[in-house]
Amino acid sequence: IKELKKELNTSFYVKSKYNPYEDVLVDDYLKTIEIMDNMKKEIEYYNLSPLEKIIYIYDMVKEKIYKKSSSFVSHSRDLTKVLQEEEIVCMGYANIFSSLANFLGLNTCVKCYYNEEKNSGHATVTIYLNDLKYDVHGVFECDPTWDSKKYYDDKDFINNYKWCMNSYILGD
């Protein structure tokens, strides 16, 4: 993308599965990749197993305080916005978690639940994990939204793992 920007010598928009609500300018997208790359390097420094990486990512993501955007839907959901701003809801947590895990080579996807009218919903992350160190194999679901920091001085959130690595039975 850097080469394309250099070649075109102009600004343009980038579409990403982690920015489903609006396309982002190339400079914002490159900043997003830079932030993600720094997070990836921090995690890779510790030479963690796949399960340990998931827990580390979970801890990083749930440190953000749930805050719905008062202006635009994308501000609390799109990866680029939630990495650079304070507003975040379930889709934002899921987008950070899934994109960072995928960036680290782990197989994840954002999973969305909707009511019958499709006017309300919730997003989580589904993970396929194959960890030889801890002999953990299978499909799991993580929901950092519910375990996230509740307010600025919340110190208890770091021990919240109720919604981390829940077993997911295929066919349910």
Side-chain angles (χ1 to χ4, degrees), residues 40-110:
K40 177 185 175 196
K41 286 176 185 172
E42 178 182 333
I43 294 168
E44 286 177 331
Y45 175 79
Y46 297 105
N47 195 29
L48 303 171
S49 76
L51 177 59
E52 292 166 338
K53 287 177 186 176
I54 290 296
I55 304 281
Y56 198 111
I57 295 167
Y58 198 77
D59 285 343
M60 290 174 90
V61 174
K62 71 180 185 166
E63 192 166 336
K64 291 186 154 287
I65 299 170
Y66 185 97
K67 183 179 179 187
K68 197 172 192 173
S69 175
S70 56
S71 50
F72 299 102
V73 168
S74 66
H75 285 218
S76 53
R77 291 169 172 80
D78 282 352
L79 179 63
T80 296
K81 302 288 187 198
V82 296
L83 285 175
Q84 298 178 31
E85 298 174 15
E86 290 185 14
E87 298 165 331
I88 188 168
V89 295
C90 58
M91 180 64 83
Y93 288 102
N95 279 328
I96 294 173
F97 189 104
S98 185
S99 63
L100 185 52
N102 291 341
F103 215 47
L104 287 159
L106 301 168
N107 192 359
T108 70
C109 67
V110 174

Side-chain angles (χ1 to χ4, degrees), residues 5-23:
K5 182 181 180 230
K6 188 175 172 182
E7 182 77 26
L8 295 174
N9 197 24
T10 186
S11 190
F12 54 90
Y13 285 91
V14 176
K15 186 168 201 66
S16 163
K17 71 179 179 179
Y18 302 112
N19 291 320
Y21 293 91
E22 65 182 43
D23 298 342

Side-chain angles (χ1 to χ4, degrees), residues 102-124:
N102 291 341
F103 215 47
L104 287 159
L106 301 168
N107 192 359
T108 70
C109 67
V110 174
K111 181 178 181 182
C112 297
Y113 297 91
Y114 296 100
N115 63 8
E116 288 182 13
E117 294 79 28
K118 292 193 176 185
N119 59 8
S120 182
H122 186 66
T124 66

Side-chain angles (χ1 to χ4, degrees), residues 129-161:
L129 191 64
N130 186 21
D131 190 299
L132 300 175
K133 181 177 181 179
Y134 295 100
D135 196 28
V136 176
H137 313 280
V139 179
F140 301 91
E141 193 164 2
C142 285
D143 189 348
T145 306
W146 298 118
D147 285 335
S148 68
K149 194 174 195 177
K150 304 301 180 224
Y151 49 88
Y152 181 75
D153 291 331
D154 183 3
K155 304 283 188 243
D156 295 327
F157 83 97
I158 198 64
N159 296 314
N160 294 341
Y161 292 96

